[in-house]
Amino acid sequence: MARLPRGPRRAPSRGRLRRTLLAALVTAAVAVPVAGAARPVDVPAPAPAPAVPLAAATPAELAARYAAGRQAVRAAERSAEEYGAHRRAAALRAMAADGRQFLAFDGRDGGRGAEVVGDLARADRIAVLVPGADTDLDRYGRFRAGAVALHHELRSALGARAAVVAWLGYRTPATGSTASLTPGRAERAAPALRAFVGELRAAKPGARITLVCHSYGSVVCARASSGLPVDALVLHGSPGTGSDTVADLHTRAAVWAGRGTADWIGDVPHVRLPLLPGSALGFELGFGEDPLDPAFGARAFDAGDGGHSDYLVPGSVPLANTARIADGREPGRA
């Protein structure tokens, strides 16, 4: 039977969006706790020794921090082996290899770390990657691969003047979980991101610093952005920031947003709904305005035709444009 032509597509009502998000929230609340007995956050690790703050990013100070980071990784590896978490132990063994540079590392609660790719002592262009959902030590390799790809892209234009930091500084939510639909994790992560960027700025006062924030990581960056001493914020595949406009971020940084044409995040309803006071889920559901909506006020850049995990794929359009932004140059427009 021939299909009748469709009329104009109507925008879903606010009530319908509310029902859709609440249904997803209830489904996740039921499904996620049942999923997997051995969660990444359950693998024990010893508390690392307190890191000595960087007074300046000199080769000697950085070498001391990297050595301390490697010791913390190796201690976590031993603990994971004793626990029987062989996948975690293998991931940690790779992280402790010669040449890896961790400014900070903590193997507890799914893992925290800040790994430098490049020569931070000589760099005057620094990009800090802030990950989204499903990033932990067991799946750290794909996060680092993005840092390596961005550094390679920057190095081709800048040589040793570029460095990239893979900042895994918070417990990321699982995709589709209750935590991924509310800003609670981002609220708790923001102070750690502010502290790290503050230390980095103090150690490298003349460098251009860019935050590259993927998916839920863009909510983290937004929560940390007020007065943050960075030059640019780059939002990859953002579900929203929890703010209605760039002005609400209270930042002097240039705010850029891009989304691949095959990224499923574009189908997520861009709403922000209050929850009941005292709710264990937090005070809001959803993240509000689409950063690509002109009303939000971000600068759009071409993010190609890739999917949600394709923003830092070698040879891709969004990788090239992200590198141009980090270097202070103009990217291609969306």
Side-chain angles (χ1 to χ4, degrees):
M1 179 182 294
R3 294 183 179 179
L4 296 175
R6 286 182 169 180
R9 185 178 178 181
R10 294 182 178 180
S13 67
R14 187 177 180 84
R16 183 179 172 189
L17 292 176
R18 180 189 294 268
R19 290 193 297 273
T20 299
L21 277 174
L22 288 176
L25 190 63
V26 171
T27 300
V30 173
V32 171
V34 176
R39 301 175 303 163
V41 295
D42 293 332
V43 180
V52 178
L54 289 175
T58 63
E61 288 199 29
L62 289 171
R65 280 286 289 264
Y66 296 154
R70 185 172 293 108
Q71 289 178 1
V73 174
R74 287 173 175 161
E77 178 198 344
R78 291 191 294 270
S79 182
E81 282 287 10
E82 292 170 1
Y83 185 74
H86 302 301
R87 178 183 177 187
R88 170 68 59 82
L92 292 167
R93 212 158 25 248
M95 291 181 195
D98 291 342
R100 300 289 289 267
Q101 304 176 141
F102 281 91
L103 281 172
F105 183 84
D106 187 340
R108 298 172 295 175
D109 192 35
R112 308 286 188 273
E115 183 178 9
V116 175
V117 180
D119 187 348
L120 187 59
R122 298 172 64 187
D124 60 16
R125 298 288 188 273
I126 303 169
V128 179
L129 305 190
V130 180
D134 300 321
T135 306
D136 53 40
L137 296 184
D138 290 344
R139 293 168 285 195
Y140 181 79
R142 66 182 183 183
F143 180 44
R144 182 178 187 269
V148 171
L150 181 55
H151 178 252
H152 184 271
E153 190 77 15
L154 284 166
R155 189 180 60 191
S156 65
L158 300 169
R161 294 170 48 220
V164 177
V165 182
W167 184 83
L168 176 57
Y170 75 112
R171 181 178 169 185
T172 66
T175 298
S177 68
T178 55
S180 72
L181 302 174
T182 56
R185 295 277 177 92
E187 291 282 358
R188 292 190 289 275
L193 181 57
R194 279 195 291 266
F196 177 76
V197 171
E199 181 183 9
L200 187 61
R201 173 56 74 196
K204 300 288 297 184
R208 175 181 171 84
I209 300 176
T210 301
L211 287 187
V212 180
C213 319
H214 178 244
S215 193
Y216 190 87
S218 64
V219 188
V220 176
C221 290
R223 287 298 193 271
S225 64
S226 181
L228 200 66
V230 298
D231 300 279
L233 295 174
V234 180
L235 310 180
H236 285 169
S238 175
T241 64
S243 298
D244 293 327
T245 68
V246 165
D248 294 333
L249 299 179
H250 304 291
T251 178
R252 294 182 178 179
V255 180
W256 294 88
R259 184 168 61 232
T261 57
D263 188 344
W264 58 264
I265 206 77
D267 296 324
V268 171
H270 289 283
V271 296
R272 192 167 75 249
L273 305 172
L275 295 175
L276 293 175
S279 169
L281 300 174
F283 58 90
E284 285 182 334
L285 175 65
F287 304 111
E289 193 70 67
D290 182 354
L292 284 174
D293 190 314
F296 183 72
R299 307 180 191 184
F301 67 91
D302 188 353
D305 57 4
H308 194 60
S309 300
D310 298 335
Y311 292 94
L312 297 179
V313 171
S316 67
V317 169
L319 175 65
N321 276 335
T322 301
R324 289 179 67 87
I325 294 169
D327 188 23
R329 292 176 288 151
E330 192 77 6
R333 293 280 183 174

